[in-house]
Amino acid sequence: VMTFKESLYKDLPIFLNINELADKHDLIIRGVEYLQVDCSVDKNIIDSANAKQTSSYDREGVFVRQVKLFVKLSDVEKPVEDEQLFIDGEMYIVKNVSENIGMLEIDLERNDY
């Protein structure tokens, strides 16, 4: 009999199904290129604590863009906070990394002008 956790691991490919929830992206983590990785990039982050979109302008006119990246732990090296991570050539700073049932949830930020 398969445990609940084992069934979740088995279903990871469904969560990152390229035709449904995920896309293929080129990632660079610690200088290592991961080409055409199945992952989900959520650019519509809502801060539930403040009930507002977290992308905003600061006093200097810099637009802070926040995204979440979901990727299988087995597909990439786990990044650490405050290091650079590139998605399709765009540089982001890692703000938080959490791991759950074989999936990495990575909070990223970048400044736009």
Side-chain angles (χ1 to χ4, degrees), residues 64-75:
V64 178
R65 181 176 309 271
Q66 296 179 327
V67 302
K68 278 192 187 287
L69 172 66
F70 296 91
V71 63
K72 285 193 296 187
L73 177 60
S74 60
D75 287 347

Side-chain angles (χ1 to χ4, degrees), residues 37-64:
V37 177
D38 290 340
C39 53
S40 177
V41 179
D42 184 356
K43 295 184 178 181
N44 298 310
I45 304 301
I46 301 296
D47 181 352
S48 59
N50 295 323
K52 65 180 178 70
Q53 189 161 349
T54 57
S55 296
S56 62
Y57 282 100
D58 70 8
R59 290 183 300 274
E60 307 300 319
V62 176
F63 188 71
V64 178

Side-chain angles (χ1 to χ4, degrees), residues 24-28 36 41 86-92:
K24 291 195 178 287
H25 293 279
D26 295 336
L27 306 176
I28 300 175
Q36 297 297 292
V41 179
F86 292 81
I87 302 174
D88 299 326
E90 291 187 351
M91 191 271 294
Y92 292 87

